[in-house]
Amino acid sequence: MDLKLWWFALQKPVKENDKKVWDSFDVIAKWLISTRATVTQLTLLAGVIAGLLAFRDGHFDLPLWLAMTLGIYFAHSSENLVNDYIDYTRGIDEDNYYRGQYGIHPLVHKFWTKQDWTRWFVVAGAVAVLCGVFVLFYTGFSPIVIGLFLFGIAILPTYAWPLKYLGLGEILIFVNWGMVLIPGIYTILLGEVPGNLPTIVMAGMAFGFGFGSFNWGKHIDKIEADKKKGVGSLPVRLGERAARWVNIFTVCLSYALILYLVFVAHFFSSTVLLVFFAAGRGWNVIKLLSQPRPSEAPPGFQLWPRWFSTPQLLHIRLFGGLYVLGIILDIVLRMTIPGFWQ
């Protein structure tokens, strides 16, 4: 057990070229690195946000919530493994492509054989499926659960190919993380489609679109590399300038949605305005996005080639953590101050 390495792998990608060093890592470290825990932790955060909203509104069910949150985490982990496998077998990740420059890609760096990858994928996929099956039985095969379960099964193998090549992958990310995960978990915990579903969707978009914005920033970073590989992502199709402005809009949208949910919809109390303590990082992201990406790393820049994506990841992690804290404080106020919300 190497707790320091676990923590590092949760904070940033791990770079290593020596297979002997890789082999010395414990199984948890390998899991965190190979499934990209810097990002999959945001999916756990989406589950936490959905659960808190359901708890606040009196619809929380611990076993059901736990199964769904673990399920989406392992599904996302499986998707990342599938993405790496597809890009590797199609030759995308070879020749010092973007993905292999900033962190360990077990297949590209020859740390795994395809058989090794299969074992890891089977484990991750099996846990995700078992969680989904549990939710199906627990809810008596709710049509809502069946629909969302099928949606998840459909997107897992199709994001990496062909959707990413058709300029649809980014749209799928915004739809799934922004409009499906949090509202979907909330709806299942409620047991029916909520009457205020549009408001729940906006509460999900406030965080989920930040995740989509990070993914979009990564794909802006990869525009030139993707052009050479024939990957027609939406930023490639739009061009860098337009893609940067789209990303600026999505960063601003998260904050605009919070303001709407607090002051117009009165869905949240003012405690959720804590997210504005992340606005400094958000403003730094916007300043970065307002200028073209440099063609090479500036002197002293250690995160290359993640020019846009790393600052955006740091921003959405802070935003998400503050969002959770704000919702918790909102719940505390409702529970401790009689008539607070009337």
Side-chain angles (χ1 to χ4, degrees):
M1 292 176 57
D2 188 339
L3 297 180
K4 184 178 180 180
L5 179 58
W6 295 4
W7 178 250
F8 187 92
L10 286 167
Q11 301 306 307
K12 59 183 66 176
V14 177
K15 296 184 70 173
E16 181 56 60
N17 295 316
D18 190 336
K19 187 176 185 302
K20 291 182 179 179
V21 175
W22 168 262
D23 289 340
S24 72
F25 292 165
D26 61 74
V27 66
I28 300 298
K30 289 179 179 178
W31 168 265
L32 295 173
I33 294 167
S34 61
T35 60
R36 293 182 245 170
T38 54
V39 178
T40 54
Q41 63 185 271
L42 297 176
T43 298
L44 283 176
L45 206 55
V48 170
I49 292 168
L52 287 171
L53 293 177
F55 180 84
R56 187 193 73 167
D57 297 339
H59 310 304
F60 188 73
D61 183 312
L62 180 59
L64 184 57
W65 170 80
L66 189 60
M68 288 189 291
T69 301
L70 288 176
I72 61 173
Y73 168 75
F74 279 97
H76 187 184
S77 300
S78 300
E79 194 281 327
N80 281 347
L81 291 171
V82 169
N83 193 11
D84 280 354
Y85 184 83
I86 290 176
D87 284 350
Y88 171 73
T89 55
R90 292 178 62 85
I92 301 300
D93 283 339
E94 297 287 358
D95 304 321
N96 203 33
Y97 178 70
Y98 177 89
R99 169 77 174 89
Q101 292 181 44
Y102 66 79
I104 294 173
H105 187 315
L107 289 167
V108 169
H109 292 105
K110 310 303 180 185
F111 296 166
W112 279 354
T113 64
K114 290 183 179 180
Q115 290 74 25
D116 293 326
W117 175 90
T118 300
R119 286 192 290 270
W120 284 80
F121 171 72
V122 167
V123 171
V127 175
V129 170
L130 286 173
C131 288
V133 170
F134 173 85
V135 173
L136 283 169
F137 277 94
Y138 195 89
T139 60
F141 286 81
S142 160
I144 298 171
V145 175
I146 293 173
L148 292 173
F149 190 69
L150 292 175
F151 174 75
I153 291 174
I155 67 173
L156 193 148
T158 58
Y159 166 74
W161 188 87
L163 296 180
K164 189 166 66 174
Y165 289 73
L166 300 174
L168 298 174
E170 296 81 11
I171 295 174
L172 176 64
I173 294 294
F174 279 113
V175 169
N176 184 50
W177 269 263
M179 305 171 72
V180 174
L181 282 186
I182 292 174
I185 292 175
Y186 180 94
T187 298
I188 294 170
L189 288 168
L190 176 62
E192 60 184 11
V193 177
N196 63 339
L197 181 60
T199 306
I200 299 295
V201 170
M202 284 189 281
M205 289 168 60
F207 172 72
F209 269 31
F211 178 89
S213 179
F214 149 70
N215 179 74
W216 187 274
K218 181 177 69 173
H219 287 196
I220 297 176
D221 283 335
K222 295 198 303 177
I223 284 178
E224 294 305 317
D226 280 344
K227 282 181 180 179
K228 294 176 183 177
K229 295 287 187 173
V231 180
S233 69
L234 198 49
V236 167
R237 295 170 185 270
L238 292 176
E240 187 194 287
R241 185 174 185 276
R244 286 190 285 108
W245 282 105
V246 168
N247 212 352
I248 288 173
F249 171 77
T250 59
V251 172
C252 294
L253 181 61
S254 292
Y255 291 95
L257 285 168
I258 292 296
L259 291 174
Y260 174 84
L261 291 166
V262 171
F263 294 111
V264 179
H266 303 294
F267 181 74
F268 287 130
S269 69
S270 58
T271 60
V272 178
L273 295 176
L274 279 173
V275 299
F276 278 85
F277 281 103
R281 288 188 183 181
W283 178 243
N284 288 336
V285 166
I286 290 171
K287 288 192 294 184
L288 269 181
L289 288 167
S290 66
Q291 300 294 325
R293 181 179 184 271
S295 58
E296 58 185 28
F301 187 81
Q302 299 179 355
L303 303 173
W304 195 259
R306 295 164 59 97
W307 179 254
F308 294 126
S309 58
T310 291
Q312 290 199 254
L313 178 60
L314 295 175
H315 169 246
I316 189 55
R317 286 206 309 223
L318 179 59
F319 182 101
L322 292 169
Y323 196 19
V324 167
L325 180 58
I327 297 172
I328 291 173
L329 293 175
D330 180 285
I331 293 170
V332 171
L333 286 176
R334 292 168 188 258
M335 295 176 65
T336 57
I337 302 178
F340 167 74
W341 203 246
Q342 277 69 37

